Amino acid sequence: MTTGKEIVVLTETVRVQQDDYISLTDIARYRNADDPRFVIQNWMRTRFTLEFLGIWEQLNNPDFNRVEFEAVKNESGSNAFVMTPTKWVSLTGAIGVISKSGRYGGTYAHKDIAFEFASWVSVEFKLYLIKEFQRLKEQEFQQLGWDIRRNLAKINYRIHTDAIKTNLIPPELSPQQINFIYASEADLLNMALFGKTAKQWRDEYPDHKGNIRDQANVSQLVCLANLETLNAHFIHQGLPQAERLKILNQTAIHQMKLLLADRKIEQLEGK
């Protein structure tokens, strides 16, 4: 697992790793800041906890050792019984609880298990943990939507610029002339989708950072990616720029109507 993120729950900073594994060590500090391992071991030595962990593993882990689990469960409850995360994993092949060493070390557990442990530590802490974890997931979802739309635009931008280079740029042009052609084709797409060039947008919004495309929403960026692909195809066909603009504008209007009515696009927008 890679280095994850942190959330603040009441008085504690709780680490969250990849695949929704939450630090039991950080949760345990809410009850015993000096020896959180003792809190985890006390929780794991109860029969109720072991039955919960066993059922979770049977539902999620096809390699779970059920024979060893039954042996462990039968031993639980006695005064001499001791169970640690490392021992649990070693005996049963469990995947829901793991121990890590190093800077980000400690005991981590899948969120299902971590919430159960938090409930045992403090019901109040559990409720705040769930709230902050959900907030983290919403932020990650919004970031994922942004990454998808930006990467999609970058991929299609390469297709678009390659078409310009192959079909519109004679080899004798200077670098300045080549840049002018690229900018001209970029503004062709801006006009088709936004109804204005990059310069016109900057003149209207002189205090805004970035450019017109940085301000685009998910629907507009998806449409822009499609327009870049279409324009590349039209360039290969040899269509004049004016004719391409007319077709691309009609396409943008049609696609935007469909995209704005799509609920999945609304979710990517974080609405």
Side-chain angles (χ1 to χ4, degrees):
M1 295 197 307
T2 60
T3 301
K5 300 181 179 180
E6 295 178 344
I7 55 178
V8 177
V9 183
L10 295 178
T11 59
E12 303 300 325
T13 298
V14 179
R15 293 164 293 176
V16 180
Q17 294 282 358
Q18 185 178 335
D19 299 325
D20 293 346
Y21 275 67
I22 301 174
S23 173
L24 298 189
T25 302
D26 294 339
I27 296 173
R29 286 196 178 97
Y30 185 73
R31 174 172 288 189
N32 187 337
D34 297 326
D35 193 358
R37 290 179 299 176
F38 180 72
V39 179
I40 297 172
Q41 290 175 17
N42 273 350
W43 177 67
M44 292 191 70
R45 69 190 301 267
T46 67
R47 187 178 182 88
F48 175 83
T49 297
L50 291 176
E51 287 179 344
F52 174 83
L53 293 176
I55 293 173
W56 189 93
E57 294 291 341
Q58 290 175 44
L59 290 173
N60 297 278
N61 181 8
D63 298 322
F64 183 59
N65 192 327
R66 301 190 183 196
V67 176
E68 286 293 340
F69 166 63
E70 290 298 329
V72 169
K73 188 172 65 172
N74 290 335
E75 293 178 16
S76 64
S78 65
N79 293 333
F81 179 74
V82 177
M83 180 55 63
T84 66
T86 302
K87 183 178 179 181
W88 168 249
V89 173
S90 176
L91 289 174
T92 66
I95 61 173
V97 178
I98 62 172
S99 292
K100 299 180 62 178
S101 58
R103 179 182 176 186
Y104 296 94
T107 298
Y108 290 80
H110 186 272
K111 64 181 177 66
D112 298 342
I113 299 171
F115 292 154
E116 185 70 20
F117 175 63
S119 183
W120 183 80
V121 169
S122 164
V123 173
E124 180 186 22
F125 191 91
K126 174 188 177 180
L127 293 175
Y128 278 99
L129 174 64
I130 293 174
K131 180 180 179 180
E132 293 305 320
F133 181 80
Q134 290 174 337
R135 192 199 308 272
L136 175 64
K137 292 292 105 179
E138 290 172 0
Q139 292 173 349
E140 290 179 348
F141 183 79
Q142 291 174 359
Q143 182 61 44
L144 175 62
W146 173 253
D147 290 341
I148 289 174
R149 69 192 198 185
R150 292 298 289 178
N151 288 332
L152 181 62
K154 288 178 181 178
I155 292 170
N156 282 276
Y157 176 76
R158 176 60 186 274
I159 296 173
H160 188 233
T161 55
D162 281 353
I164 296 171
K165 181 178 180 181
T166 302
N167 296 276
L168 299 181
I169 303 176
E172 67 272 12
L173 287 183
S174 68
Q176 292 78 12
Q177 291 171 316
I178 291 173
N179 289 335
F180 175 80
I181 292 177
Y182 279 128
S184 173
E185 286 300 319
D187 268 338
L188 174 73
L189 299 179
N190 291 337
M191 285 296 298
L193 179 58
F194 304 111
K196 62 189 69 176
T197 65
K199 183 180 184 305
Q200 287 173 334
W201 182 87
R202 287 194 300 271
D203 291 341
E204 289 182 23
Y205 303 98
D207 297 329
H208 278 62
K209 295 181 179 180
N211 56 48
I212 188 172
R213 299 188 183 190
D214 291 330
Q215 306 301 319
N217 58 33
V218 172
S219 298
Q220 288 172 322
L221 283 172
V222 170
C223 185
L224 177 62
N226 294 335
L227 294 183
E228 285 177 331
T229 302
L230 282 173
N231 194 40
H233 178 67
F234 295 153
I235 290 172
H236 283 300
Q237 288 185 324
L239 293 181
Q241 191 177 70
E243 187 174 346
R244 285 188 277 120
L245 175 59
K246 182 178 180 180
I247 298 173
L248 291 172
N249 177 243
Q250 293 172 345
T251 302
I253 293 171
H254 175 69
Q255 290 195 5
M256 285 301 297
K257 288 180 179 179
L258 295 177
L259 290 169
L260 291 174
D262 192 326
R263 291 181 177 271
K264 293 180 180 179
I265 295 293
E266 287 185 0
Q267 291 175 351
L268 281 178
E269 292 282 10
K271 295 181 179 179

